[in-house]
Amino acid sequence: MGRTEIKDIGEFRLIQRIRDRYSKPSEFVPRGIGDDAASLNFPPNHLLLVTTDTLIEDIHFTLKSTIPYLLGAKSLAVNLSDIAAMGGIPRFFLLSLGIPKGYSISSLDRFYRGVSQLAESQGVFLVGGDLAASSKFIINGVVIGHCPPDQVIYRKGAQPGDYIFVTGPLGDAALGLEILRKRGLRPSDFGANGKTRGKDKELLGIIRRHLSPPARVREGRKIAELACATAMIDISDGLLADLRHLIEESQVGANLWLDQIPRSEAFEKWAPLYHLRPIDLALSGGEDYELLFTAPKEILEDKLSRSREIDLPFYPIGEVTPHSKKLSLWTKEKKGYSPSWLGYDHFRGPPKRSLKKDPQHS
Ligand code: ADP
Ligand code: MG
């Protein structure tokens, strides 16, 4: 059989194909794909949470350094992560694509398999989208979730004296991107279903953290149910950039303890080979998609000790201070630290200014 391309099928058959293969019937969705708008059920008295994120070819990814399955999973994961960061329950999503006419149907199927496998595991339903021909591959996701109003957690609310926690090791995704840049992706690295296949298992595991980040939905819910977090955000732009967002919204400051920032074993082994200052990957590299939250330490520990499911890792990495917008980094020896870069800003590009020149930083 020859290679079938998007243009051989056309928009309406393509929508039908997506509908047949990747949308599942659900009590939550009286009407999904196929009408002018989807109609949705969600628990009464819950707050509705809505978020959107876009991935653009050659800005956020290149087709030669990922595979369709992992790209599909990532498109959904980055949106689920935003709902997780509010403490919410994601339930529905819409996925709109701009696709080059010559893209193959089999690649598009693998893309949607990556999407739907993650969707199924998280109990979220595809309820619509849009398709357009485009010179680059463009993906826009919208996720709709909900949350009991007394459990939702915002970026604002952090109080001086709170501890700052993260849900997992940082830096792997940024290291994965460094490795991809230097080593490239080989056809034998991943199977069509996204499983690591090549012999460099550990390196591929790190690369995978960049290509297909986690969505800490379960963790976000757990934090919400513990009902003691004062503020929360997901780490998409980098620990420093996202912590800065949180302290600005909360009008507080923060001390970060560098030696407490969790890093994976694989990171400790490989990061020094790919970066002069590995800690900067954990501080400023983005896309780890772990959750960052603040909470009064004693109350959190007390609640965790009384909860039966304490299998969730929370790492304390610093504390909230009353000094509005002042972010200070401390080494184990209690010396101030200035990272070489701060994080990525889409419109400004990589910052040239380092924290060293920031007058606020002593
Ligand atoms: P309209 O012109 O009214 O926007 P469309 O033909 O674009 O209608 O879409 C028809 C139906 O197919 C809608 O329910 C829409 O949500 C759904 N749909 C379109 N593209 C996609 C897609 N990529 N994934 C899922 N559903 C889609
Ligand atoms: Mg449309």
Side-chain angles (χ1 to χ4, degrees):
M1 200 183 77
R3 180 180 188 272
T4 314
E5 298 182 348
I6 300 289
K7 64 174 180 313
D8 305 321
I9 282 203
E11 179 182 347
F12 301 106
R13 274 179 61 202
L14 203 51
I15 293 177
Q16 193 57 45
R17 188 185 176 89
I18 293 168
R19 180 180 183 176
D20 292 344
R21 294 180 176 215
Y22 307 109
S23 78
K24 303 258 155 22
S26 158
E27 52 177 322
F28 299 112
V29 188
R31 189 84 172 120
I33 296 176
D35 226 305
D36 293 309
S39 67
L40 310 173
N41 268 320
F42 67 98
N45 304 322
H46 275 219
L47 272 182
L48 205 54
L49 304 172
V50 183
T51 182
T52 182
D53 239 316
T54 301
L55 299 178
I56 300 175
E57 182 187 348
D58 294 339
I59 304 280
H60 298 92
F61 64 91
T62 64
L63 289 176
K64 66 177 192 322
S65 54
T66 186
I67 60 164
Y69 184 97
L70 294 178
L71 183 61
K74 182 169 185 170
S75 323
L76 179 57
V78 297
N79 281 290
L80 293 176
S81 177
D82 281 324
I83 300 288
M86 306 289 286
I89 304 154
R91 188 60 78 205
F92 315 106
F93 70 104
L94 297 97
L95 201 59
S96 299
L97 304 179
I99 322 179
K101 288 182 189 134
Y103 199 67
S104 79
I105 292 294
S106 69
S107 295
L108 193 70
D109 271 332
R110 276 180 264 142
F111 174 90
Y112 269 100
R113 256 177 253 143
V115 173
S116 62
Q117 195 137 82
L118 177 61
E120 242 167 77
S121 73
Q122 296 281 352
V124 296
F125 299 94
L126 179 63
V127 298
D130 201 14
L131 285 176
S134 159
S135 57
K136 303 267 181 195
F137 201 123
I138 300 173
I139 307 152
N140 173 263
V142 172
V143 172
I144 301 168
H146 52 87
C147 187
D150 57 343
Q151 288 184 2
V152 69
I153 307 168
Y154 298 117
R155 292 179 178 184
K156 67 169 191 211
Q159 298 294 324
D162 287 351
Y163 267 33
I164 301 165
F165 298 87
V166 288
T167 51
L170 301 181
D172 283 359
L175 177 59
L177 179 59
E178 286 293 314
I179 297 172
L180 259 185
R181 281 199 183 122
K182 299 213 167 92
R183 172 189 176 278
L185 195 68
R186 299 170 194 162
S188 59
D189 285 343
F190 295 98
N193 59 359
K195 296 249 155 61
T196 46
R197 203 171 56 176
K199 57 180 165 38
D200 301 333
K201 278 258 157 31
E202 209 172 34
L203 273 188
L204 291 176
I206 303 172
I207 291 176
R208 205 173 192 290
R209 283 293 305 230
H210 165 72
L211 294 181
S212 180
R216 299 293 184 210
V217 174
R218 193 173 70 97
E219 290 77 358
R221 281 304 298 149
K222 182 76 187 168
I223 295 162
E225 282 165 3
L226 286 171
C228 63
T230 49
M232 183 150 71
I233 190 169
D234 63 326
I235 302 180
S236 55
D237 296 333
L239 171 61
L240 294 184
D242 289 311
L243 178 58
R244 193 166 275 287
H245 294 146
L246 186 148
I247 64 174
E248 282 179 4
E249 289 300 317
S250 296
Q251 298 189 306
V252 291
N255 285 326
L256 267 192
W257 310 315
L258 298 190
D259 59 309
Q260 299 295 313
I261 295 171
R263 281 155 269 173
S264 71
E265 243 172 70
F267 181 93
E268 297 289 42
K269 179 167 158 196
W270 292 98
L273 299 173
Y274 284 89
H275 203 278
L276 281 176
R277 290 163 79 176
I279 184 70
D280 287 1
L281 288 171
L283 290 172
S284 310
E287 301 209 294
D288 282 310
Y289 291 97
E290 294 295 344
L291 300 177
L292 170 73
F293 67 100
T294 55
K297 178 169 173 276
E298 281 79 34
I299 300 180
L300 180 72
E301 280 174 351
D302 181 51
K303 291 206 174 192
L304 278 176
S305 67
R306 280 191 274 147
S307 154
R308 275 192 210 108
E309 311 160 47
I310 328 173
D311 58 327
L312 295 179
F314 299 135
Y315 303 87
I317 60 166
E319 81 191 307
V320 178
T321 69
H323 313 296
S324 188
K325 298 186 187 173
K326 185 177 156 105
L327 177 53
S328 307
L329 316 183
W330 303 100
T331 66
K332 201 173 181 179
E333 296 75 33
K334 309 251 176 330
K335 286 213 204 98
Y337 180 79
S338 306
S340 49
W341 52 298
L342 288 175
Y344 191 78
D345 178 311
H346 268 282
F347 293 101
R348 295 168 66 191
K352 294 178 189 74
R353 192 176 63 113
S354 91
L355 261 186
K356 244 184 206 141
K357 293 181 193 120
D358 188 337
Q360 283 184 31
H361 187 77
S362 50

